[in-house]
Amino acid sequence: MDGRDWGTFILPYEQTVEELKVKFKTMRAELKKREEYTPIEFVTGRVKRLSSILEKAKRLNVRMEDLEQGIEDIAGIRIMCQFVEDIRRVAEYIRARKDLEVVYEKDYITNYKESGYRSFHMIIRYPVQTALGLKIVLAEIQIRTLAMNFWATIEHSLNYKYRESLPDEIRLRLKTAAEAASILDSEMSSIREEILEAQKTFEENSNTTTQVLHAIHQLYFYHLVNEAIRSQEEFNEIWQRQDMEAMKELLRRVRGMISQAKKGDLPDGV
């Protein structure tokens, strides 16, 4: 091993991971606001451990002076999706970005590995502005469904335990599990619209409930104590019945009280 400062070597990769996580989380939030649905479920990232970098360099016969170009996944981002169809959509968004360059892609969904591993990989070049100037860093983006990620995480742990030499029985059972995960993804895709509709309804109901509670709290601000108490009691009854139409009507009435209070037109007796 050479005598370089490994802490300094890793710094641009750490910066790359943090910046990309922020950018993809921002993309998720923007898509959700624009389209009420985002193909990105959540984003994680990591920098490869030094021991893993050296082990991979040894396995691939990469010289120490060639690590930056020879090991492409020192910086890694994982983007999780609900449905298989979302993976292609996320990849399109990444290809269209101007702040990174896609070097090449590896489709392990259409052409999954013998082990059963499924994922979509994109190797990118990403410009990092360091204290010493601009540096171009290679990074890997993995796009998976939640089921694919669960399987891959378990397989990674087992490979680490057995040092890449999995017993045949475990290898076979992992492959069977990968097929089961693929079937699960297919089933979820077949009822995609029902799932999205249920999620949308849940989110709308949750938002309405939050808005009602916030509006009731505002009544106290305008000294409408009696109205706030009555509204809270009505809210409790509606919540027990889970009657969302009645909840929306309560929200409308409470907002009406607040609007009157803002105009100085307070109810009698207040």
Side-chain angles (χ1 to χ4, degrees):
M1 185 186 302
D2 59 20
R4 76 180 74 190
D5 182 344
W6 291 100
T8 302
F9 172 81
I10 288 294
L11 280 176
Y13 296 98
E14 292 176 339
Q15 184 176 337
T16 294
V17 168
E18 292 307 311
E19 289 185 12
L20 289 175
K21 282 198 300 183
V22 169
K23 290 183 176 184
F24 289 128
K25 287 177 181 179
T26 301
M27 178 192 290
R28 180 187 188 280
E30 182 181 354
L31 289 172
K32 193 170 184 64
K33 285 185 178 180
R34 287 177 179 271
E35 305 176 19
E36 295 187 345
Y37 172 74
T38 173
I40 299 175
E41 185 69 9
F42 63 91
V43 180
T44 64
R46 63 96 185 101
V47 175
K48 216 173 187 62
R49 295 177 181 175
L50 180 56
S51 59
S52 298
I53 295 173
L54 298 177
E55 286 173 5
K56 188 165 187 177
K58 181 179 180 181
R59 188 171 70 252
L60 299 180
N61 293 318
V62 176
R63 298 181 303 174
M64 289 295 102
E65 58 267 32
D66 297 330
L67 286 179
E68 293 181 355
Q69 297 301 316
I71 307 298
E72 301 167 330
D73 63 343
I74 295 176
I77 294 291
R78 285 179 188 160
I79 300 177
M80 257 58 76
C81 305
Q82 288 194 82
F83 305 101
V84 176
E85 297 84 354
D86 292 339
I87 293 174
R88 309 292 179 187
R89 187 175 168 199
V90 171
E92 283 295 329
Y93 283 127
I94 293 173
R95 294 185 195 109
R97 294 188 70 97
K98 303 302 182 183
D99 54 350
L100 56 82
E101 175 192 355
V102 177
V103 180
Y104 69 91
E105 302 173 1
K106 294 181 282 188
D107 183 352
Y108 295 124
I109 298 174
T110 303
N111 305 300
Y112 55 87
K113 293 184 178 181
E114 175 63 24
S115 64
Y117 177 86
R118 291 168 169 82
S119 186
F120 193 90
H121 294 190
M122 306 178 82
I123 303 299
I124 65 167
R125 289 191 184 94
Y126 181 76
V128 176
Q129 188 65 50
T130 72
L132 301 180
L134 187 68
K135 184 177 180 62
I136 306 300
V137 172
L138 287 177
E140 181 182 67
I141 301 172
Q142 299 176 349
I143 316 172
R144 305 169 171 172
T145 64
L146 299 172
M148 291 175 190
N149 188 62
F150 173 72
W151 185 93
T153 301
I154 298 301
E155 189 221 22
H156 178 78
S157 298
L158 289 172
N159 271 323
Y160 182 81
K161 175 182 178 180
Y162 290 101
R163 310 295 294 180
E164 305 286 343
S165 298
L166 287 174
D168 291 340
E169 179 186 0
I170 293 180
R171 193 183 303 277
L172 179 60
R173 294 175 73 174
L174 271 176
K175 189 172 182 179
T176 301
E179 292 169 358
S182 179
I183 292 171
L184 175 61
D185 276 333
S186 296
E187 287 298 316
M188 292 301 102
S189 291
S190 71
I191 56 173
R192 173 190 175 98
E193 294 308 316
E194 288 82 357
I195 293 172
L196 294 180
E197 184 62 32
Q199 291 174 343
K200 181 180 179 181
T201 299
F202 173 82
E203 188 164 343
E204 288 176 349
N205 291 347
S206 178
N207 289 339
T208 298
T209 301
T210 300
Q211 290 167 11
V212 171
L213 291 172
H214 179 68
I216 291 173
H217 181 72
Q218 281 187 298
L219 291 176
Y220 287 103
F221 178 79
Y222 290 104
H223 308 291
L224 302 177
V225 178
N226 292 334
E227 285 75 6
I229 293 173
R230 286 197 297 269
S231 297
Q232 184 65 57
E233 290 173 349
E234 186 176 352
F235 170 86
N236 294 341
E237 293 175 1
I238 294 171
W239 177 254
Q240 289 297 323
R241 301 197 311 268
Q242 288 293 298
D243 185 345
M244 293 312 300
E245 290 305 314
M247 190 73 77
K248 292 174 184 177
E249 173 59 22
L250 174 60
L251 177 61
R252 185 191 66 77
R253 285 190 280 109
V254 173
R255 282 178 169 172
M257 296 179 208
I258 294 170
S259 179
Q260 286 183 337
K262 287 179 177 180
K263 296 175 183 176
D265 185 12
L266 301 181
D268 291 339
V270 179

